[in-house]
Amino acid sequence: MTPSDYIKNALRTESPYLFEETNGVSPRVEHATIGVVTEAGELMNAIKRDKIYGKTLDHVNLVEEAGDGMWYLAILADDLGVSFEEIWDKNIAKLRLRYPDKYSDEHCLNRDTEAERKILET
C-alpha cells in the first residue's frame, strides 16, 4: 500500500463531526491532534506497564497504537492538503540542515530556526 492509498483508506472510516470550526481550527485538525496525543499516551502506557509493573512489552499492542496514531495523522495530512511524502521530505530536509552529519547536543541547542522555517515553507 502506498502512503496515498493509506490516507484514502483511513479517511473512509472517518465519521462526521458534531462541532464546528473554532478560531480557525477545523474539527478535523482538532480531532487529529487530540487523537495523536491520546495514542502517544497509550504507547507510553505500554512502556509504563513494562518498566514499572514488570509486564512483558506487548509488541502487537505497540503496532496497533502506532497504526491508530497514523490514522489520526492521515486525517491531519488530508485536512492540511499535504501527503505523507511531503511531510517526510520536509522533515528530512529540516533534519539535514539541523544535523548535517548526525545528532549532536550542540546542533540541537543552536538551531537556525529561520532557515528551518524556510525549508518547511517551500
Side-chain angles (χ1 to χ4, degrees), residues 94 97 112-122:
K94 177 194 78 173
L97 174 70
D112 185 346
T113 55
E114 286 183 33
E116 288 179 8
R117 176 75 187 206
K118 286 180 185 174
I119 287 171
L120 298 169
E121 289 174 341
T122 61

Side-chain angles (χ1 to χ4, degrees), residues 58-113:
D58 185 346
H59 289 240
V60 172
N61 178 248
L62 291 177
V63 171
E64 176 193 5
E65 302 307 343
D68 291 346
M70 292 295 299
W71 185 87
Y72 287 109
L73 290 173
I75 293 171
L76 181 63
D78 185 68
D79 195 77
L80 296 175
V82 297
S83 67
F84 281 159
E85 293 93 340
E86 184 177 345
I87 293 169
W88 299 339
D89 289 344
K90 288 178 185 239
N91 182 252
I92 293 301
K94 177 194 78 173
L95 292 172
R96 281 194 179 121
L97 174 70
R98 187 182 298 173
Y99 307 114
D101 299 312
K102 63 178 185 172
Y103 173 86
S104 74
D105 291 343
E106 173 66 25
H107 286 117
C108 181
L109 296 172
N110 297 298
R111 302 181 340 211
D112 185 346
T113 55

